[in-house]
């Protein structure tokens, strides 16, 4: 009898310790995952806000002599020639809708490829994507990776909160929660988490599509114009290389808000140059693009539909 009681007591203690261990394990795991997502969320949000947009270098600014010569000239065709002469020394390949050099009269500089003037920040931003009111900053070459990671970790953070609160939401409907205040907190927290999750899901999905095609938001609405005309796939190098343009070649840095984007924001590889170096690759990419992103066959119609807006 005593032996049976000892065995029962031992089994009870063992089960109690196992349950306590499992409870502590899941509680610690929950707290660790929560704080990891929270730290990454705050870190990427901080980097998106306080990483200043990069402006074009000094070599893209007009000298005092060229600026004076350009402003004193009243004939538009001569002004275009002056800009063309200055741009010959620069790696500039995109053009305006009329075929001229992209020039910012407010910043007095030749615009590098994919550079646009932000009317809110009052500066020209390298590879400008858009001006985001949620971070009160211009999203461009310097912080586009941080912005994408901010959307991703915000999405995971909201999903994690909604998933962990959902069981308490079920208890609310089944009447297991008796405290009125806790009911309001559970409903409010679940509603906010789901609402932000849905909105962020569409925004993050759209930017993932842009990254896969190597386009900015501005380029998605208005195709960049090259010397041969508008081409919305002008910077599309393929899925892997497009990812490397934003996140870099070091995969261990992809998920961290650390600057790793390729280049300096002034020049970007173009599909036309890659095709010229590898004709076989050009044919394969052309076959892949057929039926997906077809350009209008009428050149006049294409020019009228895809004139770039200088912003």
């Amino acid at each position: 009898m005593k032996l049976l009681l000892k065995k029962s007591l031992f089994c009870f203690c063992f089960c109690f310790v196992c349950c306590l261990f499992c409870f502590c394990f899941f509680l610690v795991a929950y707290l660790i995952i929560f704080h990891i997502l929270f730290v990454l969320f705050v870190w990427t949000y901080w980097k998106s806000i306080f990483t200043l947009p990069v402006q074009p270098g000094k070599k893209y600014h007009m000298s005092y002599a060229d600026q004076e010569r350009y402003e004193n000239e009243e004939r538009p065709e001569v002004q275009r020639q002056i800009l063309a002469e200055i741009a010959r020394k620069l790696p500039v390949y995109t053009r305006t809708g009329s075929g001229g050099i992209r020039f910012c009269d407010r910043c007095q500089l030749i615009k590098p490829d994919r550079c646009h003037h932000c009317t809110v920040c009052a500066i020209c931003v390298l590879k400008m994507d858009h001006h985001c009111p949620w971070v009160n900053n211009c999203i461009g070459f310097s912080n586009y990776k941080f912005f994408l990671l901010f959307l991703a970790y915000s999405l995971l953070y909201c999903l994690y909160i909604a998933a962990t609160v959902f069981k308490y939401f079920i208890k609310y409907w089944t009447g297991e929660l008796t405290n009125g205040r806790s009911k309001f907190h559970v409903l409010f927290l679940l509603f906010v988490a789901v609402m932000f999750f849905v909105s962020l899901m569409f925004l993050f999905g759209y930017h993932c599509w842009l990254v896969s095609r190597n386009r900015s938001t501005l380029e998605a609405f208005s195709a960049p114009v090259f010397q041969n005309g508008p081409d919305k796939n002008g910077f599309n190098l393929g899925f892997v290389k497009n990812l490397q343009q934003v996140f870099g070649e070091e995969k261990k840095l992809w998920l961290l808000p650390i600057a790793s984007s390729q280049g300096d924001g002034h020049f970007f590889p173009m599909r036309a140059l890659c095709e010229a170096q590898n004709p076989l690759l050009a044919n394969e990419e052309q076959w892949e693009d057929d039926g997906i992103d077809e350009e209008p066959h009428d050149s006049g119609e294409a020019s009228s539909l895809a004139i770039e807006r200088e912003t």
Side-chain angles (χ1 to χ4, degrees):
M1 187 68 179
K2 292 182 178 179
L3 181 62
L4 183 61
L5 290 175
K6 289 182 179 180
K7 289 183 178 179
S8 300
L9 182 62
F10 175 78
C11 293
F12 174 78
C13 294
F14 179 77
C15 294
F16 177 78
V17 171
C18 291
C19 293
L20 183 63
F21 175 79
C22 292
F23 175 77
C24 294
F25 174 78
F26 285 110
L27 181 62
V28 171
Y30 168 79
L31 291 175
I32 291 176
I33 296 175
F34 174 83
H35 285 91
I36 289 176
L37 292 176
F38 179 74
V39 169
L40 291 173
F41 162 73
V42 174
W43 190 6
T44 53
Y45 187 53
W46 177 277
K47 295 286 286 187
S48 299
I49 294 176
F50 294 101
T51 301
L52 298 177
V54 180
Q55 304 180 51
K58 293 182 179 180
K59 65 179 181 179
Y60 289 87
H61 289 75
M62 296 182 66
S63 64
Y64 179 78
D66 292 333
Q67 181 178 349
E68 189 176 24
R69 183 162 61 105
Y70 177 82
E71 293 178 351
N72 293 333
E73 182 59 53
E74 298 179 356
R75 293 170 294 180
E77 61 276 5
V78 179
Q79 288 182 335
R80 292 182 59 177
Q81 293 178 359
I82 295 174
L83 295 178
E85 293 176 1
I86 301 173
R88 287 175 185 173
K89 303 177 182 178
L90 302 173
V92 175
Y93 297 94
T94 55
R95 298 290 185 265
T96 62
S98 59
I101 300 297
R102 299 172 65 244
F103 174 74
C104 180
D105 55 354
R106 285 160 288 189
C107 298
Q108 293 295 309
L109 57 82
I110 303 294
K111 291 183 180 180
D113 294 341
R114 315 184 80 174
C115 173
H116 296 273
H117 185 88
C118 178
T119 55
V120 180
C121 299
I123 58 173
C124 283
V125 180
L126 293 179
K127 195 188 175 183
M128 179 179 174
D129 187 88
H130 68 287
H131 186 90
C132 182
W134 300 107
V135 299
N136 193 28
N137 196 7
C138 235
I139 305 301
F141 174 78
S142 61
N143 58 357
Y144 187 62
K145 175 189 174 182
F146 307 148
F147 178 74
L148 286 176
L149 292 178
F150 164 65
L151 294 179
Y153 290 127
S154 301
L155 193 69
L156 292 176
Y157 187 58
C158 292
L159 178 62
Y160 187 74
I161 292 177
T164 53
V165 172
F166 185 72
K167 67 176 183 178
Y168 297 100
F169 176 75
I170 298 298
K171 291 182 178 181
Y172 164 73
W173 284 107
T174 56
E176 296 184 28
L177 290 180
T178 57
N179 191 342
R181 292 184 178 180
S182 62
K183 291 180 180 180
F184 172 77
H185 294 162
V186 169
L187 286 175
F188 179 77
L189 186 59
L190 182 64
F191 173 76
V192 172
V194 172
M195 181 184 65
F196 276 98
F197 172 78
V198 173
S199 59
L200 288 170
M201 180 178 62
F202 287 105
L203 182 60
F204 180 67
Y206 175 69
H207 278 280
C208 287
W209 178 79
L210 291 177
V211 172
S212 66
R213 299 301 180 91
N214 202 357
R215 300 177 191 169
S216 65
T217 302
L218 294 176
E219 292 169 351
F221 286 96
S222 180
V225 181
F226 298 87
Q227 295 180 358
N228 296 328
D231 185 5
K232 58 185 177 182
N233 289 318
F235 297 103
N236 190 352
L237 306 176
F239 180 75
V240 176
K241 291 185 178 180
N242 292 342
L243 287 179
Q244 292 176 351
Q245 284 286 304
V246 177
F247 296 98
E249 297 181 358
E250 294 289 337
K251 293 184 179 181
K252 60 183 179 181
L253 300 178
W254 281 15
L255 300 180
L256 296 177
I258 299 175
S260 60
S261 301
Q262 291 182 343
D264 59 357
H266 293 84
F267 172 78
F268 298 91
M270 292 174 292
R271 188 178 62 168
L273 297 179
C274 296
E275 291 176 353
Q277 297 174 359
N278 192 345
L280 295 178
L281 179 61
N283 294 332
E284 292 179 0
E285 291 183 353
Q286 183 64 36
W287 296 334
E288 292 178 358
D289 290 340
D290 287 344
I292 300 178
D293 289 315
E294 296 182 1
E295 297 289 342
H297 296 286
D298 187 356
S299 60
E301 182 182 357
S303 299
S304 61
L305 292 176
I307 296 300
E308 177 184 77
R309 295 179 180 177
E310 290 298 308
T311 57

